[in-house]
Amino acid sequence: MKNIAAFPFHKLALALIGVSCALLAGCQDNPDDFATLDGKQPLVIGHRGSAGYLPDHTLEGYRLAIQNGADFIEPDLVATKDGELIARHEPNITATTDVAEHPEFAALQTTRKVDGVDETGWFATDFTLAEIKTLRAKQPLSDRSQAYNGLYQIPTFREVLDLAKSEGAKVGRVIGVYPETKHPTYHVDAGLKLEDRLLTMLSEYGYTKKDSPVIIQSFEVSNLQYLRPLTQVRLVQLVDGNDYDFKTGKVTFAAPFDRPYDWTRAGKTENFDSMVTPAGLAEIKKYADGVGPWKPYIVPVKGQYDAAGLMQDLNGDGAVNYADTVSQPATSLISDAHKLGLMVHTWTFRNEAKRLAFDYQGDPKQEYLQFFRLGLDGLFSDFSDTAVSARSDYLKELGR
Ligand SMILES: [Ca+2]
């Protein structure tokens, strides 16, 4: 190549960016137009699959999320007695499976401590995978469809990874997987530590790099710190809270949702909100790629109070609750995190009017748009189709 200066290296570079972009979950060409950390469009993550439509954590729910346009699907991980990783929201499988209807497992009902709280029921850690496979999933929320109860199996993490690949091939997109290590301390106590099992499985699929289509999330800290030197896969520190204070707009704290349980074990007294200060975020930056705060840390909600100090029933349905709150101006959390190079993914977006602040007027897309405009990098939604539709509206708003 004699005339090296004339070679269009910039075109080659663009072509390479185009190729690598196509291989990345949620990536699209022409970055830099969005206020996200990487300049690409915000990610839609199918929360527990398609929790708004089908029972949580089923292959059918994950498949629907992919068909509805989700970039990532989210399996929560717990371990079985024989050390297999399965997708469940809690070690306690009483509310999300039909285990109580299986007389052969009646003797396995017990009381165990999870994050310091006594729970009575059936626990995945007392079942082999073969036993788990005889159970069927059920919808834990009474106000959502019960029509699919008893139909679907409890998937293994391996089945979720395989589904992401096979369904991704069908829709022509790389589908990311966003596993959460559930109650890491509980699993260590049970002799079923999650992290090494998770890494082994991810390695088997070649998911070891920062650009692998995987993000690992946890509410605890020390297990993410343990994972950091062992994998380049992106890590996200989740930030929880107990409830809302509708008067102040602040998140409130009470055990076990006051702080990461490994902090409680270690005698630390700071609450979760210490994580979203600039100093807290700088600490997270040492071991994670992003932060996953509960929504009100980004957009607080408040009630309207009368002179007697009573919160007003804004929607006039006779009850005073979340649906009577008004969304407030955003905190600086997203920009504070972005300044440190941390991406921000928040949760959970839901369509039902009772799960929306009053000022969104029953239109869930208004909530998505508010967060997209802030430069949010990704969100967990029970209704991926609505999230993707709102993102399309956002793209139009940006003239794209
Ligand atoms: Ca009301």
Side-chain angles (χ1 to χ4, degrees):
M1 196 184 302
K2 199 174 159 192
N3 188 6
I4 195 164
F7 186 79
F9 281 106
H10 62 289
K11 285 189 180 166
L12 177 63
L14 283 173
L16 288 173
I17 289 167
V19 168
S20 62
C21 183
L23 296 171
L24 281 173
C27 181
Q28 63 161 41
D29 293 333
N30 307 319
D32 301 327
D33 281 9
F34 296 92
T36 50
L37 184 63
D38 63 4
K40 295 167 192 158
Q41 68 177 1
L43 297 174
V44 171
I45 305 147
H47 184 241
R48 308 183 196 175
S50 301
Y53 297 114
L54 296 173
D56 301 358
H57 299 301
T58 59
L59 292 180
E60 291 75 9
Y62 297 128
R63 183 180 294 119
L64 180 61
I66 295 165
Q67 289 168 351
N68 281 341
D71 304 298
F72 274 76
I73 52 176
E74 189 223 14
D76 294 329
L77 299 181
V78 303
T80 63
K81 185 169 128 184
D82 46 351
E84 299 290 338
L85 296 178
I86 60 168
R88 284 292 90 188
H89 188 251
E90 299 95 3
N92 185 340
I93 56 173
T94 310
T96 65
T97 72
D98 62 0
V99 64
E101 297 158 38
H102 286 252
E104 69 274 25
F105 297 132
L108 289 180
Q109 187 182 29
T110 188
T111 299
R112 295 197 180 283
K113 266 199 201 308
V114 180
D115 296 357
V117 177
D118 276 339
E119 292 184 21
T120 297
W122 288 265
F123 294 80
T125 42
D126 294 322
F127 288 74
T128 63
L129 177 60
E131 289 169 337
I132 288 285
K133 281 293 185 182
T134 68
L135 305 177
R136 294 294 178 269
K138 72 175 193 191
Q139 170 57 252
L141 297 182
S142 61
D143 64 314
R144 286 184 171 168
S145 175
Q146 305 294 313
Y148 303 93
N149 292 355
L151 298 180
Y152 307 137
Q153 287 194 4
I154 313 312
T156 63
F157 184 44
R158 178 186 297 280
E159 288 172 329
V160 178
L161 291 170
D162 288 341
L163 179 96
K165 276 191 170 181
S166 60
E167 292 297 313
K170 281 185 205 164
V171 297
R173 295 183 289 122
V174 174
I175 302 299
V177 178
Y178 208 132
E180 180 184 345
T181 53
K182 276 289 175 186
H183 305 283
T185 296
Y186 169 91
H187 283 95
V188 168
D189 291 349
L192 292 163
K193 184 176 171 179
L194 298 171
E195 291 73 22
D196 296 329
R197 292 174 164 87
L198 173 58
L199 288 179
T200 300
M201 184 73 72
L202 293 177
S203 294
E204 201 183 305
Y205 284 77
Y207 298 153
T208 58
K209 301 293 183 196
K210 195 176 172 99
D211 64 356
S212 297
V214 173
I215 302 174
I216 300 171
Q217 48 172 334
S218 179
F219 281 113
E220 292 193 12
V221 176
S222 50
N223 75 315
L224 291 176
Q225 292 170 329
Y226 172 81
L227 286 167
R228 182 69 297 166
L230 301 178
T231 182
Q232 293 172 30
V233 163
R234 288 163 287 175
L235 306 177
V236 163
Q237 175 67 60
L238 299 172
V239 183
D240 208 350
N242 184 61
D243 206 347
Y244 307 87
D245 182 336
F246 293 146
K247 204 151 209 171
T248 64
K250 300 278 189 192
V251 174
T252 64
F253 301 95
F257 306 110
D258 46 358
R259 66 180 68 87
Y261 188 62
D262 59 320
W263 280 13
T264 298
R265 266 297 171 86
K268 283 192 74 162
T269 55
E270 293 92 337
N271 288 329
F272 270 115
D273 56 351
S274 67
M275 288 180 158
V276 295
T277 63
L281 293 169
E283 199 56 37
I284 290 171
K285 176 64 180 171
K286 293 177 184 170
Y287 61 85
D289 302 277
V291 60
W294 188 23
K295 284 189 301 187
Y297 285 112
I298 299 172
V299 175
V301 295
K302 283 186 182 178
Q304 290 184 359
Y305 289 79
D306 66 12
L310 290 175
M311 185 170 149
Q312 300 299 290
D313 177 15
L314 293 187
N315 66 5
D317 67 353
V320 175
N321 50 36
Y322 185 85
D324 301 302
T325 64
V326 176
S327 69
Q328 303 295 305
T331 66
S332 61
L333 175 48
I334 291 179
S335 60
D336 291 346
H338 282 181
K339 275 180 208 154
L340 291 165
L342 288 167
M343 58 186 178
V344 182
H345 293 166
T346 193
W347 42 275
T348 298
F349 288 74
R350 300 180 164 116
N351 282 7
E352 296 98 338
K354 72 180 206 179
R355 299 188 169 101
L356 291 171
F358 176 73
D359 55 307
Y360 299 130
Q361 308 256 304
D363 177 8
K365 288 210 233 174
Q366 296 307 314
E367 183 181 37
Y368 289 102
L369 286 168
Q370 182 176 11
F371 279 81
F372 287 148
R373 289 173 190 137
L374 296 170
L376 183 74
D377 302 289
L379 54 83
F380 294 83
S381 175
D382 281 359
F383 300 84
S384 292
D385 49 350
T386 309
V388 169
S389 174
R391 185 171 65 185
S392 297
D393 290 356
Y394 178 55
L395 294 179
K396 280 183 205 138
E397 192 175 287
L398 295 178
R400 299 174 62 113

